[in-house]
Amino acid sequence: MSSSNENAAERVRVTVDAIYRSDSRRVFATLVRLLGDFDLAEEALHDAFRAALEQWPQEGMPANPRAWLVSTGRFKAIDNLRRRARFVDLPPDAAERLGTDDPEGRDPADIGNGGASLMALAERVADGLGDPAAWDDESVEDDRLRLIFTCCHPALSPDAQVALTLREVCGLTTEEIARAFLTAPSTLAQRIVRAKAKIRDARIPYQVPTREDLPERLDAVLRVVYLVFNEGYSASLGGSLTRHDLSEEAIRLGRLLIELLPEPEAQGLLALMLLHESRRAARTSPGGELILLDEQDRALWNRDQIAQGLALVERALSSRRFGPYTLQAAIAAVHAEAPSAGETDWAQIVGLYNVLLRIEPSPVVELNRAVAVAMYDGPEAGLTLVDGILARGDLEDYHLAHAARADLCRRLERTAEARAAYERALSLTRQEPERRFLERRLNELLD
């Protein structure tokens, strides 16, 4: 291969990698709709990207790479079905699993096994896929929303809803999801497999619920979106504090949700994500070191995202039908409006946490309130609350609880207790920037 051809192939590889990172789950969602099966769609997705690496260097980039990948993926799936028809018996429930209907209205179990049935199935899939020209960006975005609501169907357990959506809609790895659930990757993988089987066996439709059913289905979807954002805003493990691709994806999904259903809590969640995301550039140093909120350069905060978030918070609060996401967004808004850390209205933040704790009591909310109380009433008051939480054992394995205790003991010059708490936090954290930050604080106490 000539050097010019090698350069062209390398440029295509870089482009395909970028498209995979940005668009692969969108392509996957459309393939799920077209093929009616998670595993077949996943296989088709990878076949399509493999074909792009082989064909684009010779044929050039298509005008619409996403549509090309969808079209190629569906044809690859049909070809695979036809090829397997020569060698593989068709299980009786295959037509059901692939979401296809027999044109003569026969029960899938009565169609019979064998390659002929698989070939017929491939042809029915091919006939029902529609016009590729209609696969524009808007329809693909609708597919993402359909897939979210399918994964969050009430027939699935809440944990399965979240796990499946994080895996299939957002492409998180099993380890990343397991970290979010504080469970073993093998357990999480089994949960996802069972959820897919439930969707297949219960014939859960791949569609957005009716407007009457949307509100009751919204809570699970919001929880999923927020978990995705949290993994992007503060990665659960690894060398980077954040994963911009995930937080950006969660914000995009949040925008889609309020376009579909402008409920106050959907607006509140989007506001919360925008207000947190506005601080991204100030949260780390050029070398990737963690910078706490009170030490951040507020000139680096994204004022456009803050303005959007504040407007959404105001709209959600004025509805008087808000919930925990809106209250958290209101707390973030107080921080965003403070010209400096010293001018933060901690009394208002403590008051908002009091309301939040009433409507959604949890140890993590208690911990956050304790930190706010420490800023308003002093570290001794905050430490009393943190010690009460830890004494119950609720957050014994939560590194931020021990980091908070360490900081309060440090401020109170209780050095031995601070060192012990920092060491406990270090033993629990798996994120490198957080580890380096805690190590620096610990070393300062040892000097």
Side-chain angles (χ1 to χ4, degrees):
M1 181 183 291
S2 68
S3 60
S4 61
N5 288 339
E6 290 177 352
N7 290 338
E10 177 61 19
R11 287 195 297 271
V12 168
R13 186 193 65 77
V14 171
T15 300
V16 171
D17 285 348
I19 293 173
Y20 186 87
R21 289 192 299 271
S22 63
D23 286 353
S24 62
R25 304 322 291 180
R26 296 177 176 89
V27 174
F28 173 75
T30 297
L31 288 171
V32 171
R33 171 171 60 84
L34 297 175
L35 302 174
D37 180 86
F38 283 97
D39 295 331
L40 187 61
E42 191 73 41
E43 183 180 358
L45 172 72
H46 293 296
D47 285 343
F49 274 94
R50 191 177 300 113
L53 287 171
E54 295 169 354
Q55 295 177 224
W56 290 2
Q58 284 76 38
E59 302 173 3
M61 284 279 296
N64 188 333
R66 192 185 298 171
W68 188 96
L69 290 163
V70 170
S71 180
T72 300
R74 71 113 181 200
F75 282 119
K76 291 287 185 182
I78 294 167
D79 288 344
N80 286 339
L81 286 172
R82 289 169 175 163
R83 185 168 56 253
R84 293 170 188 171
R86 302 186 183 97
F87 305 105
V88 181
D89 285 343
L90 176 66
D93 67 343
E96 296 176 87
R97 288 191 294 105
L98 290 174
T100 57
D101 296 319
D102 182 68
E104 298 178 14
R106 293 172 293 175
D107 188 290
D110 296 331
I111 297 175
N113 296 334
S117 295
L118 189 52
M119 183 68 75
L121 177 59
E123 299 309 320
R124 291 198 298 276
V125 172
D127 291 342
L129 292 182
D131 179 8
W135 304 337
D136 56 18
D137 286 348
E138 182 177 352
S139 68
V140 171
E141 301 302 346
D142 290 343
D143 286 333
R144 300 299 302 280
L145 209 53
R146 291 187 187 98
L147 186 55
I148 292 172
F149 277 103
T150 300
C151 293
C152 295
H153 194 277
L156 305 176
S157 70
D159 283 350
Q161 293 171 12
V162 176
L164 188 63
T165 306
L166 290 173
R167 179 69 192 94
E168 303 301 338
V169 178
C170 302
L172 271 69
T173 66
T174 301
E175 183 177 353
E176 289 167 339
I177 305 168
R179 175 66 175 173
F181 278 113
L182 301 178
T183 191
S186 59
T187 301
L188 199 284
Q190 292 172 359
R191 187 176 298 162
I192 291 173
V193 169
R194 288 194 296 268
K196 289 181 181 179
K198 181 70 174 181
I199 289 173
R200 179 195 67 211
D201 297 341
R203 301 185 183 183
I204 291 174
Y206 180 75
Q207 64 187 31
V208 176
T210 63
R211 183 160 293 278
E212 291 74 23
D213 294 333
L214 269 174
E216 67 182 31
R217 297 275 299 277
L218 188 60
D219 285 348
V221 174
L222 295 179
R223 182 181 175 220
V224 167
V225 173
Y226 194 40
L227 267 177
V228 176
F229 177 80
N230 279 338
E231 182 62 31
Y233 184 72
S234 183
S236 58
L237 71 164
S240 176
L241 180 68
T242 63
R243 291 184 57 184
H244 181 61
D245 57 331
L246 293 179
S247 54
E248 187 177 61
E249 174 71 4
I251 289 172
R252 191 190 66 79
L253 292 174
R255 292 189 193 280
L256 281 176
L257 283 173
I258 64 171
E259 288 175 12
L260 174 72
L261 186 69
E263 285 291 303
E265 269 299 83
Q267 295 169 349
L269 175 58
L270 179 57
L272 176 61
M273 294 189 295
L274 286 168
L275 290 167
H276 281 324
E277 184 69 6
S278 71
R279 303 198 294 263
R280 173 183 292 276
R283 293 182 65 227
T284 56
S285 70
E289 300 305 318
L290 173 64
I291 302 175
L292 296 183
L293 177 62
D294 60 348
E295 299 173 351
Q296 290 174 12
D297 180 358
R298 300 188 177 213
L300 297 177
W301 289 3
N302 187 315
R303 293 296 158 184
D304 180 58
Q305 289 179 329
I306 289 174
Q308 293 180 54
L310 294 177
L312 285 164
V313 170
E314 184 176 349
R315 194 181 313 162
L317 288 173
S318 66
S319 73
R320 297 187 177 278
R321 293 188 293 113
F322 55 84
Y325 293 115
T326 300
L327 286 168
Q328 292 176 73
I331 293 168
V334 176
H335 286 296
E337 292 178 313
S340 67
E343 297 173 87
T344 303
D345 188 345
W346 287 107
Q348 186 177 0
I349 290 176
V350 171
L352 288 166
Y353 271 123
N354 289 340
V355 178
L356 179 60
L357 199 55
R358 285 201 301 271
I359 68 171
E360 190 175 73
S362 80
V364 173
V365 173
E366 279 189 76
L367 176 66
N368 292 335
R369 178 184 177 276
V371 172
V373 168
M375 297 302 297
Y376 183 57
D377 289 329
E380 189 71 52
L383 183 60
T384 299
L385 295 173
V386 172
D387 282 345
I389 297 168
L390 290 172
R392 299 199 309 263
D394 291 331
L395 298 179
E396 180 57 33
D397 295 326
Y398 187 50
H399 72 282
L400 292 179
H402 296 282
R405 186 179 197 281
D407 182 65
L408 294 174
C409 288
R410 180 185 63 84
R411 290 163 58 187
L412 290 167
E413 299 183 352
R414 293 162 59 167
T415 305
E417 291 181 70
R419 282 201 302 264
Y422 277 129
E423 288 169 353
R424 176 62 175 154
L426 266 170
S427 72
L428 294 170
T429 187
R430 298 174 64 191
Q431 187 194 87
E432 285 306 313
E434 287 186 340
R435 288 188 61 82
R436 293 195 298 269
F437 174 82
L438 293 171
E439 286 168 352
R440 286 197 306 273
R441 283 291 170 90
L442 183 57
N443 289 334
E444 290 169 2
L445 293 176
L446 296 174
D447 290 340

